Amino acid sequence: VDERTAKRTEFQYEGGIRSFVEHLARAKTPLHASPIHLDDQRFLEGNPETIEIALQWTDGYQEQVYCFTNTINNRDGGAHLSGFRAALTRTVNYSATSRGLTKNLKGNLSGDDVREGLTAVVSVKVKDPKFSGQTKDKLVSSEVKGWVEQVVNERLGNFLEENPPIARKVIATGVEAA
C-alpha cells in the first residue's frame, strides 16, 4: 500500500515458491515431476513464524539456492542457508546409507555432491530477524538455523522414505557427482 496515494499492489504468484522453483529450473530437465515442498509454523510469544522450502533436482550441474527472510532476498544466505545445507546433506546421506546405495564410495556424499543440480528456495518469516549489516544480505539469527535443520531432517527424510523412486534418482545423482 502506498499511503501517499492509497494505491494498493499485491504481489502473489499462483503456486508460491513451488512455482518459483519450477520457473528457476525451467531450462533444465527435472529429476522428479514437481518440486518437493517443506513447511512448518511455530508461535513465539503469540506471533506466528514460518519456514517454507521448495526444492527440485535437475540434470544440471549448478546449485541454485535463493534465501529470503520476511520476503527480503538474502544474497549471502545466512543461518537458514547453513541449516538447510547441513540437514540436506545429512538427510540424503542417511537415506543413501539405509538403502545401501553408497557401498562403492569411500565415506559419505559431500554437500557439493548432494546439491549438484539442485534448485531451491528457502524462505523464513520471523518476528525479529537479525542481519549482518544494513543491506540485509545475510541472516544471523542463530535460532533459525536449528529450526530449519529440524524441518528439513524430518520432512525431507519422510518424503524420501515415502517416495523411493525419487530418493534413488537424487542419490544416484549425488553418487555420480562424487
Side-chain angles (χ1 to χ4, degrees):
V1 176
D2 184 340
E3 293 177 352
R4 299 168 296 177
T5 63
K7 181 179 177 185
R8 180 178 186 85
T9 306
E10 188 171 327
F11 297 96
Q12 178 181 346
Y13 200 88
E14 198 66 40
I17 66 170
R18 283 184 215 170
S19 294
F20 188 31
V21 166
E22 288 174 338
H23 172 74
L24 292 170
R26 70 190 177 284
K28 298 171 186 74
T29 305
L31 297 184
H32 44 97
S34 61
I36 300 165
H37 185 257
L38 315 171
D39 64 349
D40 193 39
Q41 182 176 30
R42 67 181 182 186
F43 290 88
L44 287 181
E45 300 171 9
N47 297 302
E49 296 189 335
T50 61
I51 291 176
E52 189 176 6
I53 301 168
L55 57 149
Q56 186 170 39
W57 278 271
T58 67
D59 64 350
Y61 298 104
Q62 298 291 326
E63 165 192 6
Q64 272 188 294
V65 179
Y66 293 89
C67 297
F68 296 88
T69 303
N70 298 348
T71 69
I72 299 166
N73 185 7
N74 309 120
R75 289 187 311 216
D76 296 335
H80 45 351
L81 179 60
S82 298
F84 172 73
R85 285 181 170 170
L88 180 74
T89 303
R90 185 172 36 254
T91 303
V92 171
N93 270 310
Y94 176 79
S95 183
T97 303
S98 67
R99 288 179 165 82
L101 298 174
T102 55
K103 291 178 183 176
N104 298 333
L105 290 178
K106 294 180 182 177
N108 288 327
L109 297 170
S110 72
D112 289 336
D113 298 334
V114 169
R115 293 188 310 269
E116 184 171 300
L118 177 68
T119 302
V121 173
V122 179
S123 174
V124 296
K125 292 181 181 164
V126 293
K127 181 179 185 270
D128 189 24
K130 299 189 181 29
F131 300 98
S132 68
Q134 291 180 332
T135 58
K136 299 182 179 178
D137 285 339
K138 187 173 185 179
L139 178 69
V140 294
S141 299
S142 59
E143 70 280 357
V144 172
K145 180 181 182 211
W147 186 27
V148 170
E149 280 188 53
Q150 174 196 352
V151 170
V152 172
N153 278 332
E154 180 184 314
R155 307 271 162 78
L156 183 61
N158 290 342
F159 179 87
L160 294 175
E161 190 69 32
E162 294 167 3
N163 297 279
I166 294 174
R168 280 193 289 280
K169 285 181 185 177
V170 168
I171 293 164
T173 300
V175 169
E176 188 178 313

